[in-house]
């Protein structure tokens, strides 16, 4: 059973209904998400609420909303919404405090924070493979984090595929499988990657104009569009480039 079993919103004042992020369809109807597997994917178009929900959960878990865990105390430009103030989490059997919140778009800030810790207290980078995250490629730094810091707890990942090649996405899935299949970890992942969405046994939650619904990877727009495009890219180019002719 997953550690985090339910995500709900509660007591949202009516006057906020016209304010962001409560105007996002997936959030406007109120959240009541049951989590029944150790790996859950949030999938949908940009602006559908995936990152906003994940960020609110991370904040409620006590993780740094800029990325990191409960022990990473640093501040960069505030991006989090007010959703966290109205989110209630249900845990099984008790709240888990270990884990990590990865935000692909702010990972540079996290890596800078670790370098600053290293300057003041040599050895801080040892927890990430002994090498500055800034001195690795983007993909290498992500895998250094996954391999060295992911052990036990809840892991909230916002577009982890952003820095990973297709081959390294497969490597990432082996890390996920090793941890979740042993019952040590739970993953909630916002993604656009059709490859990640195929993970066996995962729950896929689709966020769209109708709200939030459970689906399978074959029915996601991400998977269908990618498959159709790769089967006949020239058909898409004829349409996309028509104005240039």
């Amino acid at each position: 059973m997953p550690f985090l079993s339910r995500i709900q919103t509660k007591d949202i004042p009516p006057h906020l209904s016209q304010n962001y992020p409560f105007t996002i369809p997936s959030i406007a109807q109120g959240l009541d998400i049951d989590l029944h597997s150790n790996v859950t994917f949030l999938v949908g178009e940009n602006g559908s609420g995936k990152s906003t929900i994940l960020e609110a959960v991370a904040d409620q878990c006590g993780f740094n909303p800029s990325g990191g865990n409960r022990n990473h105390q640093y501040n960069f430009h505030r991006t989090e919404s007010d959703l966290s103030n109205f989110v209630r989490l249900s845990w099984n059997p008790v709240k888990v405090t270990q884990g990590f919140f990865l935000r692909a778009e702010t990972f540079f800030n996290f890596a800078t924070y670790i370098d600053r810790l290293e300057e003041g207290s040599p050895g801080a980078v040892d927890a990430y493979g002994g090498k500055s995250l800034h001195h690795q490629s983007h993909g290498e730094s992500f895998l250094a984090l996954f391999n060295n810091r992911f052990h036990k707890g809840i892991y909230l990942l916002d577009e982890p595929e952003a820095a990973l090649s297709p081959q390294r996405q497969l490597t990432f899935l082996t890390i996920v499988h090793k941890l979740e299949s042993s019952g040590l970890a739970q993953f909630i992942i916002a993604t656009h990657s059709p490859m990640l969405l195929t993970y066996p046994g995962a729950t896929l939650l689709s966020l769209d104009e109708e709200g939030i619904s459970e689906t399978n990877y074959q029915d996601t727009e991400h998977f269908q569009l990618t498959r159709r495009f790769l089967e006949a890219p020239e058909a898409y180019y004829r349409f996309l480039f028509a104005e240039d002719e």
Side-chain angles (χ1 to χ4, degrees):
M1 294 291 294
F3 306 135
L4 177 59
S5 60
R6 197 173 189 184
I7 304 169
Q8 297 172 288
T9 48
K10 58 175 184 176
D11 304 327
I12 300 175
H15 72 273
L16 291 180
S17 62
Q18 300 304 312
N19 297 342
Y20 174 86
F22 305 102
T23 53
I24 299 174
S26 61
I27 298 172
Q29 302 177 28
L31 299 179
D32 192 0
I33 302 172
D34 286 318
L35 304 173
H36 47 82
S37 61
N38 286 334
V39 180
T40 301
F41 289 106
L42 306 180
V43 59
E45 269 299 328
N46 294 329
S48 61
K50 304 184 305 300
S51 297
T52 303
I53 293 172
L54 202 63
E55 179 184 74
V57 173
D59 194 32
Q60 282 293 311
C61 288
F63 300 158
N64 192 314
S66 294
N69 60 31
R70 299 171 67 90
N71 299 318
H72 295 131
Q73 303 300 321
Y74 68 100
N75 294 303
F76 283 87
H77 178 67
R78 175 183 166 88
T79 59
E80 61 267 25
S81 71
D82 293 330
L83 180 61
S84 173
N85 297 328
F86 304 99
V87 165
R88 178 173 62 193
L89 305 181
S90 299
W91 298 89
N92 179 38
V94 295
K95 181 177 181 178
V96 171
T97 59
Q98 294 174 282
F100 197 94
F101 176 39
L102 169 73
R103 299 184 60 163
E105 65 180 25
T106 59
F107 188 73
F108 179 92
N109 297 337
F110 176 77
T112 299
Y113 164 73
I114 298 301
D115 276 357
R116 290 176 180 172
L117 290 181
E118 177 70 15
E119 292 172 0
S121 179
V125 299
D126 291 347
Y128 301 88
K131 186 177 182 180
S132 168
L133 296 171
H134 277 313
H135 296 167
Q136 305 177 57
S137 72
H138 204 184
E140 288 171 337
S141 65
F142 271 39
L143 287 180
L145 171 69
F146 301 153
N147 280 312
N148 292 284
R149 298 297 294 168
F150 285 21
H151 303 296
K152 181 179 180 180
I154 183 166
Y155 296 96
L156 311 171
L157 312 180
D158 190 7
E159 299 184 9
E161 75 277 8
L164 302 178
S165 68
Q167 181 62 50
R168 286 185 168 173
Q169 288 185 45
L170 297 178
T171 300
F172 168 67
L173 289 178
T174 65
I175 297 170
V176 171
H177 180 259
K178 178 180 178 181
L179 292 174
E180 73 89 3
S181 63
S182 64
L184 294 175
Q186 178 181 2
F187 292 84
I188 304 177
I189 304 171
T191 185
H192 292 293
S193 169
M195 293 181 68
L196 298 189
L197 293 176
T198 65
Y199 185 82
T203 299
L204 274 64
L205 298 177
S206 176
L207 285 64
D208 56 29
E209 293 297 318
E210 302 300 320
I212 301 176
S213 59
E214 192 165 332
T215 187
N216 59 72
Y217 76 85
Q218 296 98 330
D219 290 335
T220 63
E221 179 69 16
H222 297 61
F223 179 84
Q224 293 183 5
L225 178 58
T226 301
R227 182 177 60 182
R228 292 195 300 264
F229 177 81
L230 292 177
E231 288 175 345
E234 64 284 351
Y236 284 84
Y237 290 139
R238 283 196 297 270
F239 171 75
L240 294 170
F241 304 158
E243 294 182 1
D244 297 333
E245 298 176 355

